[in-house]
Amino acid sequence: MKSVVLGVALVLAAATPVAAQTSAPAAPATPAAPAAAAAAATKFNLDTPIETIAADPAGKAVLDADLPGMTAHPMYESFKGMSLNQVQPMSGGAIPAEALVKVGTDLAAIK
């Protein structure tokens, strides 16, 4: 049964691009989501590498205020290339979700 379902899924996946090519012209692309536009307008966000944030005096001030000791952490060299969104789930609760909300808000204020 699994092979039948998989086979049907593969056939449908393969047929979709052909159908898309032979159908009427696609509608114009929709504008980017407002959140994506807002993220592009800010200098830093929770997906920015930590070392990039820390390299900026205003960004480092946010990290030091909202997540004290982060840049002095013994493992900083290991995680500095990651974003806060990547590090938070691996922090064992050291970076609560509420703290990320505050950091995100404070980073968004940096222009």
Side-chain angles (χ1 to χ4, degrees), residues 16-75:
T16 302
V18 173
Q21 291 174 1
T22 59
S23 63
T30 57
T42 62
K43 190 172 185 177
F44 304 116
N45 60 50
L46 297 176
D47 292 316
T48 303
I50 295 167
E51 65 185 330
T52 303
I53 298 169
D56 182 86
K60 185 167 184 339
V62 168
L63 292 177
D64 291 343
D66 296 348
L67 302 169
M70 172 168 273
T71 58
H73 192 280
M75 297 296 294

